[in-house]
Amino acid sequence: MTSQHSCFQSPQLHSIFFDAPAPSTWIVLKRVNEHEHRKAPDHFAISYASVKYWCKKHGDDSKIAFVRIYRQIPYLGTEIYDHATRAKQARAWTPPELVAYKTLTDRQSSVTPRLLGYREEEQESSALIPSGFLVSFAWEQVPGVQLGDNLGRKVFWDISGDQRHIIREAFKNKTIR
């Protein structure tokens, strides 16, 4: 679900700092998109908002990356609860996307974007979810055509079955050893 309002409005973000695997700073060039995933309090999943930026590395204009930030947000209908009540929703969480980038980068995948930096922290006590998760990470922009959207649709499923088979085999040959 895309939000009508932004959980990342202010202050406007100009740079992002990562402390792992090595300290780095990225300068925001453009906001790409933002999504909100709110769940009901009785739902087992967490509620979060995410934003994606297109960035360049501070001091090296040739290094271009995407940065995504995930922030825990209140369950549906609990936005007006007091801080202490909302703080009870706080959870530690690592996005599966970050887990995948870490794994693929650690295994030195040559066919996927490399993880360039990340940071996992808790939100401040004045945030919507005090001590809720705040996770950000950068991955390299790679050449080529993106074969899908967030749900895996679009380009990949619009090409012929023979072309999809060729892509799958090429990916298997490069990733499975």
PDB file of all heavy atoms in Angstrom, residues 69-89:
ATOM      1  N   ILE A  69      15.331   2.731   3.452  1.00  0.00           N
ATOM      2  CA  ILE A  69      15.188   2.896   4.889  1.00  0.00           C
ATOM      3  C   ILE A  69      13.846   2.290   5.300  1.00  0.00           C
ATOM      4  O   ILE A  69      12.819   2.567   4.680  1.00  0.00           O
ATOM      5  CB  ILE A  69      15.224   4.381   5.308  1.00  0.00           C
ATOM      6  CG1 ILE A  69      16.542   5.030   4.855  1.00  0.00           C
ATOM      7  CG2 ILE A  69      15.026   4.527   6.808  1.00  0.00           C
ATOM      8  CD1 ILE A  69      16.587   6.533   5.048  1.00  0.00           C
ATOM      9  N   TYR A  70      13.881   1.442   6.316  1.00  0.00           N
ATOM     10  CA  TYR A  70      12.672   0.854   6.900  1.00  0.00           C
ATOM     11  C   TYR A  70      12.493   1.423   8.301  1.00  0.00           C
ATOM     12  O   TYR A  70      13.447   1.446   9.085  1.00  0.00           O
ATOM     13  CB  TYR A  70      12.795  -0.666   7.032  1.00  0.00           C
ATOM     14  CG  TYR A  70      12.656  -1.436   5.750  1.00  0.00           C
ATOM     15  CD1 TYR A  70      13.765  -1.739   4.974  1.00  0.00           C
ATOM     16  CD2 TYR A  70      11.416  -1.891   5.329  1.00  0.00           C
ATOM     17  CE1 TYR A  70      13.654  -2.471   3.802  1.00  0.00           C
ATOM     18  CE2 TYR A  70      11.277  -2.637   4.155  1.00  0.00           C
ATOM     19  CZ  TYR A  70      12.403  -2.920   3.399  1.00  0.00           C
ATOM     20  OH  TYR A  70      12.275  -3.646   2.248  1.00  0.00           O
ATOM     21  N   ARG A  71      11.286   1.863   8.605  1.00  0.00           N
ATOM     22  CA  ARG A  71      10.977   2.429   9.917  1.00  0.00           C
ATOM     23  C   ARG A  71       9.692   1.786  10.438  1.00  0.00           C
ATOM     24  O   ARG A  71       8.698   1.729   9.711  1.00  0.00           O
ATOM     25  CB  ARG A  71      10.781   3.925   9.797  1.00  0.00           C
ATOM     26  CG  ARG A  71      10.237   4.582  11.059  1.00  0.00           C
ATOM     27  CD  ARG A  71      10.052   6.073  10.882  1.00  0.00           C
ATOM     28  NE  ARG A  71      11.381   6.660  10.836  1.00  0.00           N
ATOM     29  CZ  ARG A  71      11.668   7.798  10.223  1.00  0.00           C
ATOM     30  NH1 ARG A  71      10.728   8.471   9.601  1.00  0.00           N
ATOM     31  NH2 ARG A  71      12.887   8.275  10.235  1.00  0.00           N
ATOM     32  N   GLN A  72       9.727   1.300  11.667  1.00  0.00           N
ATOM     33  CA  GLN A  72       8.516   0.746  12.256  1.00  0.00           C
ATOM     34  C   GLN A  72       7.521   1.875  12.502  1.00  0.00           C
ATOM     35  O   GLN A  72       7.894   2.959  12.958  1.00  0.00           O
ATOM     36  CB  GLN A  72       8.823   0.025  13.568  1.00  0.00           C
ATOM     37  CG  GLN A  72       7.622  -0.698  14.121  1.00  0.00           C
ATOM     38  CD  GLN A  72       7.942  -1.542  15.348  1.00  0.00           C
ATOM     39  OE1 GLN A  72       9.048  -1.515  15.863  1.00  0.00           O
ATOM     40  NE2 GLN A  72       6.951  -2.294  15.797  1.00  0.00           N
ATOM     41  N   ILE A  73       6.250   1.616  12.187  1.00  0.00           N
ATOM     42  CA  ILE A  73       5.187   2.591  12.391  1.00  0.00           C
ATOM     43  C   ILE A  73       4.065   1.930  13.205  1.00  0.00           C
ATOM     44  O   ILE A  73       3.999   0.703  13.299  1.00  0.00           O
ATOM     45  CB  ILE A  73       4.653   3.159  11.054  1.00  0.00           C
ATOM     46  CG1 ILE A  73       4.135   2.051  10.143  1.00  0.00           C
ATOM     47  CG2 ILE A  73       5.735   3.989  10.359  1.00  0.00           C
ATOM     48  CD1 ILE A  73       3.489   2.549   8.856  1.00  0.00           C
ATOM     49  N   PRO A  74       3.165   2.731  13.781  1.00  0.00           N
ATOM     50  CA  PRO A  74       2.107   2.163  14.620  1.00  0.00           C
ATOM     51  C   PRO A  74       1.134   1.281  13.833  1.00  0.00           C
ATOM     52  O   PRO A  74       0.896   1.505  12.647  1.00  0.00           O
ATOM     53  CB  PRO A  74       1.372   3.390  15.162  1.00  0.00           C
ATOM     54  CG  PRO A  74       2.313   4.528  14.991  1.00  0.00           C
ATOM     55  CD  PRO A  74       3.142   4.191  13.785  1.00  0.00           C
ATOM     56  N   TYR A  75       0.568   0.305  14.544  1.00  0.00           N
ATOM     57  CA  TYR A  75      -0.503  -0.497  13.960  1.00  0.00           C
ATOM     58  C   TYR A  75      -1.673   0.410  13.616  1.00  0.00           C
ATOM     59  O   TYR A  75      -1.826   1.490  14.198  1.00  0.00           O
ATOM     60  CB  TYR A  75      -0.979  -1.559  14.951  1.00  0.00           C
ATOM     61  CG  TYR A  75      -0.024  -2.698  15.154  1.00  0.00           C
ATOM     62  CD1 TYR A  75       0.505  -2.968  16.413  1.00  0.00           C
ATOM     63  CD2 TYR A  75       0.341  -3.524  14.102  1.00  0.00           C
ATOM     64  CE1 TYR A  75       1.379  -4.025  16.608  1.00  0.00           C
ATOM     65  CE2 TYR A  75       1.223  -4.577  14.288  1.00  0.00           C
ATOM     66  CZ  TYR A  75       1.730  -4.824  15.543  1.00  0.00           C
ATOM     67  OH  TYR A  75       2.585  -5.864  15.729  1.00  0.00           O
ATOM     68  N   LEU A  76      -2.494  -0.020  12.684  1.00  0.00           N
ATOM     69  CA  LEU A  76      -3.694   0.723  12.308  1.00  0.00           C
ATOM     70  C   LEU A  76      -4.517   1.043  13.546  1.00  0.00           C
ATOM     71  O   LEU A  76      -4.742   0.181  14.393  1.00  0.00           O
ATOM     72  CB  LEU A  76      -4.557  -0.107  11.352  1.00  0.00           C
ATOM     73  CG  LEU A  76      -4.128  -0.134   9.895  1.00  0.00           C
ATOM     74  CD1 LEU A  76      -4.942  -1.176   9.129  1.00  0.00           C
ATOM     75  CD2 LEU A  76      -4.277   1.221   9.258  1.00  0.00           C
ATOM     76  N   GLY A  77      -4.943   2.300  13.650  1.00  0.00           N
ATOM     77  CA  GLY A  77      -5.807   2.714  14.740  1.00  0.00           C
ATOM     78  C   GLY A  77      -5.100   3.038  16.042  1.00  0.00           C
ATOM     79  O   GLY A  77      -5.744   3.447  17.010  1.00  0.00           O
ATOM     80  N   THR A  78      -3.779   2.862  16.096  1.00  0.00           N
ATOM     81  CA  THR A  78      -3.066   3.139  17.352  1.00  0.00           C
ATOM     82  C   THR A  78      -2.193   4.390  17.253  1.00  0.00           C
ATOM     83  O   THR A  78      -1.450   4.694  18.191  1.00  0.00           O
ATOM     84  CB  THR A  78      -2.173   1.944  17.754  1.00  0.00           C
ATOM     85  OG1 THR A  78      -1.106   1.797  16.802  1.00  0.00           O
ATOM     86  CG2 THR A  78      -2.976   0.658  17.839  1.00  0.00           C
ATOM     87  N   GLU A  79      -2.303   5.116  16.168  1.00  0.00           N
ATOM     88  CA  GLU A  79      -1.447   6.284  15.940  1.00  0.00           C
ATOM     89  C   GLU A  79      -1.610   7.346  17.025  1.00  0.00           C
ATOM     90  O   GLU A  79      -0.665   8.065  17.336  1.00  0.00           O
ATOM     91  CB  GLU A  79      -1.741   6.925  14.580  1.00  0.00           C
ATOM     92  CG  GLU A  79      -1.540   6.010  13.401  1.00  0.00           C
ATOM     93  CD  GLU A  79      -2.787   5.206  13.043  1.00  0.00           C
ATOM     94  OE1 GLU A  79      -3.719   5.096  13.881  1.00  0.00           O
ATOM     95  OE2 GLU A  79      -2.831   4.675  11.930  1.00  0.00           O
ATOM     96  N   ILE A  80      -2.823   7.459  17.611  1.00  0.00           N
ATOM     97  CA  ILE A  80      -3.071   8.514  18.598  1.00  0.00           C
ATOM     98  C   ILE A  80      -2.811   8.061  20.030  1.00  0.00           C
ATOM     99  O   ILE A  80      -2.938   8.847  20.956  1.00  0.00           O
ATOM    100  CB  ILE A  80      -4.508   9.060  18.472  1.00  0.00           C
ATOM    101  CG1 ILE A  80      -5.528   7.947  18.730  1.00  0.00           C
ATOM    102  CG2 ILE A  80      -4.723   9.723  17.130  1.00  0.00           C
ATOM    103  CD1 ILE A  80      -6.956   8.450  18.874  1.00  0.00           C
ATOM    104  N   TYR A  81      -2.422   6.814  20.213  1.00  0.00           N
ATOM    105  CA  TYR A  81      -2.104   6.325  21.564  1.00  0.00           C
ATOM    106  C   TYR A  81      -0.878   7.067  22.087  1.00  0.00           C
ATOM    107  O   TYR A  81      -0.054   7.570  21.321  1.00  0.00           O
ATOM    108  CB  TYR A  81      -1.820   4.830  21.549  1.00  0.00           C
ATOM    109  CG  TYR A  81      -3.010   3.940  21.280  1.00  0.00           C
ATOM    110  CD1 TYR A  81      -4.250   4.446  20.892  1.00  0.00           C
ATOM    111  CD2 TYR A  81      -2.892   2.575  21.396  1.00  0.00           C
ATOM    112  CE1 TYR A  81      -5.326   3.611  20.644  1.00  0.00           C
ATOM    113  CE2 TYR A  81      -3.965   1.727  21.140  1.00  0.00           C
ATOM    114  CZ  TYR A  81      -5.180   2.258  20.767  1.00  0.00           C
ATOM    115  OH  TYR A  81      -6.238   1.433  20.514  1.00  0.00           O
ATOM    116  N   ASP A  82      -0.721   7.113  23.395  1.00  0.00           N
ATOM    117  CA  ASP A  82       0.429   7.799  23.988  1.00  0.00           C
ATOM    118  C   ASP A  82       1.727   7.035  23.688  1.00  0.00           C
ATOM    119  O   ASP A  82       1.697   5.865  23.306  1.00  0.00           O
ATOM    120  CB  ASP A  82       0.240   7.986  25.500  1.00  0.00           C
ATOM    121  CG  ASP A  82       0.135   6.670  26.239  1.00  0.00           C
ATOM    122  OD1 ASP A  82       1.159   5.970  26.338  1.00  0.00           O
ATOM    123  OD2 ASP A  82      -0.970   6.335  26.699  1.00  0.00           O
ATOM    124  N   HIS A  83       2.853   7.713  23.878  1.00  0.00           N
ATOM    125  CA  HIS A  83       4.164   7.135  23.559  1.00  0.00           C
ATOM    126  C   HIS A  83       4.413   5.815  24.285  1.00  0.00           C
ATOM    127  O   HIS A  83       4.928   4.866  23.710  1.00  0.00           O
ATOM    128  CB  HIS A  83       5.292   8.129  23.885  1.00  0.00           C
ATOM    129  CG  HIS A  83       5.616   9.050  22.764  1.00  0.00           C
ATOM    130  ND1 HIS A  83       4.783  10.075  22.387  1.00  0.00           N
ATOM    131  CD2 HIS A  83       6.664   9.088  21.932  1.00  0.00           C
ATOM    132  CE1 HIS A  83       5.313  10.713  21.367  1.00  0.00           C
ATOM    133  NE2 HIS A  83       6.471  10.140  21.066  1.00  0.00           N
ATOM    134  N   ALA A  84       4.064   5.769  25.566  1.00  0.00           N
ATOM    135  CA  ALA A  84       4.328   4.553  26.352  1.00  0.00           C
ATOM    136  C   ALA A  84       3.559   3.360  25.794  1.00  0.00           C
ATOM    137  O   ALA A  84       4.096   2.246  25.717  1.00  0.00           O
ATOM    138  CB  ALA A  84       3.951   4.787  27.809  1.00  0.00           C
ATOM    139  N   THR A  85       2.336   3.585  25.356  1.00  0.00           N
ATOM    140  CA  THR A  85       1.529   2.498  24.787  1.00  0.00           C
ATOM    141  C   THR A  85       2.086   2.075  23.431  1.00  0.00           C
ATOM    142  O   THR A  85       2.216   0.879  23.158  1.00  0.00           O
ATOM    143  CB  THR A  85       0.053   2.937  24.658  1.00  0.00           C
ATOM    144  OG1 THR A  85      -0.420   3.322  25.951  1.00  0.00           O
ATOM    145  CG2 THR A  85      -0.808   1.815  24.104  1.00  0.00           C
ATOM    146  N   ARG A  86       2.441   3.061  22.589  1.00  0.00           N
ATOM    147  CA  ARG A  86       3.009   2.725  21.268  1.00  0.00           C
ATOM    148  C   ARG A  86       4.367   2.052  21.406  1.00  0.00           C
ATOM    149  O   ARG A  86       4.730   1.198  20.604  1.00  0.00           O
ATOM    150  CB  ARG A  86       3.106   3.972  20.388  1.00  0.00           C
ATOM    151  CG  ARG A  86       1.761   4.466  19.896  1.00  0.00           C
ATOM    152  CD  ARG A  86       1.882   5.463  18.746  1.00  0.00           C
ATOM    153  NE  ARG A  86       2.932   6.426  18.899  1.00  0.00           N
ATOM    154  CZ  ARG A  86       2.798   7.634  19.435  1.00  0.00           C
ATOM    155  NH1 ARG A  86       1.632   8.032  19.890  1.00  0.00           N
ATOM    156  NH2 ARG A  86       3.822   8.461  19.519  1.00  0.00           N
ATOM    157  N   ALA A  87       5.117   2.405  22.460  1.00  0.00           N
ATOM    158  CA  ALA A  87       6.442   1.801  22.670  1.00  0.00           C
ATOM    159  C   ALA A  87       6.338   0.293  22.877  1.00  0.00           C
ATOM    160  O   ALA A  87       7.277  -0.447  22.566  1.00  0.00           O
ATOM    161  CB  ALA A  87       7.138   2.452  23.858  1.00  0.00           C
ATOM    162  N   LYS A  88       5.192  -0.179  23.355  1.00  0.00           N
ATOM    163  CA  LYS A  88       5.000  -1.618  23.555  1.00  0.00           C
ATOM    164  C   LYS A  88       4.952  -2.381  22.229  1.00  0.00           C
ATOM    165  O   LYS A  88       5.100  -3.598  22.214  1.00  0.00           O
ATOM    166  CB  LYS A  88       3.719  -1.874  24.356  1.00  0.00           C
ATOM    167  CG  LYS A  88       3.820  -1.382  25.787  1.00  0.00           C
ATOM    168  CD  LYS A  88       2.512  -1.557  26.526  1.00  0.00           C
ATOM    169  CE  LYS A  88       2.618  -0.954  27.929  1.00  0.00           C
ATOM    170  NZ  LYS A  88       1.333  -0.979  28.625  1.00  0.00           N
ATOM    171  N   GLN A  89       4.764  -1.673  21.117  1.00  0.00           N
ATOM    172  CA  GLN A  89       4.764  -2.297  19.795  1.00  0.00           C
ATOM    173  C   GLN A  89       6.188  -2.500  19.260  1.00  0.00           C
ATOM    174  O   GLN A  89       6.374  -3.198  18.273  1.00  0.00           O
ATOM    175  CB  GLN A  89       3.986  -1.434  18.786  1.00  0.00           C
ATOM    176  CG  GLN A  89       2.534  -1.254  19.109  1.00  0.00           C
ATOM    177  CD  GLN A  89       1.840  -0.332  18.117  1.00  0.00           C
ATOM    178  OE1 GLN A  89       2.229  -0.230  16.953  1.00  0.00           O
ATOM    179  NE2 GLN A  89       0.795   0.346  18.567  1.00  0.00           N
TER     180      GLN A  89
END
